[in-house]
Amino acid sequence: MTFDPKAVLNGPTLSLRQMVKSDWDAVYAEASKPELWAGHPATDRWQEPAFRAIFDGGLANPDGCYVIHQKGREAVAGITRYYGTTDTQTRIGYTFVALDLWGSGVNTELKKLMLDHGFASLERVYFDIGTENWRSRKAVEKLGAQLCAQTQDDKVEYVLYKSTWINR
């Protein structure tokens, strides 16, 4: 099976589909809250020019970028993407979940959908996280990811292997 980073992913409460230009208003309505980015290395992402770069980067990403929808919710629940995909691995990141959904299980369901899809054909998934972004670090550790590197741009890298994911 070949990995398709642009597949539509559906879970018990979430649906992930590829982001398009016309999603800007709905996505930015959620991303424009300063509190959302407080633990992130780029605390200015709530500002339109900074977030526009993330949004446009997602549209240009060869692996696509997902808009997250929660069933029964009108507002966008967030965005995420695969990137840096090869024949054996991918990365998951550039994720944000709407503030009112923090602690609700949305991020866990989101990651499970993406990991199940990725591990259908890949061996490793990496996560790049800001060194001080303890919320995200703890979240990927709960999934079984292990710290594997400190990068030079104030980030840490975690890896999750297919064997760990399947045997958890």
Side-chain angles (χ1 to χ4, degrees):
M1 173 186 226
T2 302
F3 178 66
D4 178 5
K6 296 182 181 183
V8 173
L9 305 179
N10 290 298
T13 69
L14 298 180
S15 176
L16 283 65
R17 65 153 174 84
Q18 288 301 301
M19 186 171 72
V20 294
K21 283 183 183 184
S22 61
D23 288 322
W24 168 257
D25 289 338
V27 171
Y28 187 62
E30 293 300 320
S32 64
K33 299 168 182 159
E35 306 87 0
L36 185 71
W37 306 102
H40 194 276
T43 58
D44 68 341
R45 281 198 178 165
W46 64 273
Q47 297 174 359
E48 187 172 341
F51 191 75
R52 174 62 76 177
I54 298 303
F55 186 87
D56 291 346
L59 291 175
N61 178 30
D63 294 341
C65 183
Y66 287 103
V67 173
I68 307 160
H69 294 279
Q70 184 182 43
K71 295 172 184 161
R73 176 187 168 93
E74 286 191 37
V76 166
I79 64 170
T80 191
R81 66 175 99 159
Y82 294 110
Y83 62 100
T85 304
T86 69
D87 290 343
T88 60
Q89 67 189 36
T90 194
R91 293 178 178 280
I92 295 175
Y94 294 91
T95 303
F96 86 81
V97 173
L99 278 172
D100 63 316
L101 296 176
W102 285 14
S104 70
V106 165
N107 191 48
T108 301
E109 182 180 343
L110 160 68
K111 293 298 192 292
K112 285 180 179 179
L113 280 170
M114 295 182 78
L115 289 166
D116 285 345
H117 179 68
F119 286 134
S121 58
L122 302 172
E123 295 300 316
R124 290 181 305 284
V125 172
Y126 290 91
F127 302 89
D128 299 312
I129 302 171
T131 303
E132 301 298 319
N133 189 344
W134 297 106
R135 178 184 270 301
S136 293
R137 291 179 69 167
K138 297 249 183 252
V140 298
E141 288 170 2
K142 284 181 184 178
L143 296 171
Q146 298 176 5
L147 180 64
C148 63
Q150 171 81 43
T151 66
Q152 294 183 8
D153 56 352
D154 198 29
K155 291 182 183 160
V156 289
E157 182 177 79
Y158 282 82
V159 63
L160 182 57
Y161 294 95
K162 182 177 188 172
S163 60
T164 301
W165 182 248
I166 290 171
N167 294 318
R168 62 180 173 83

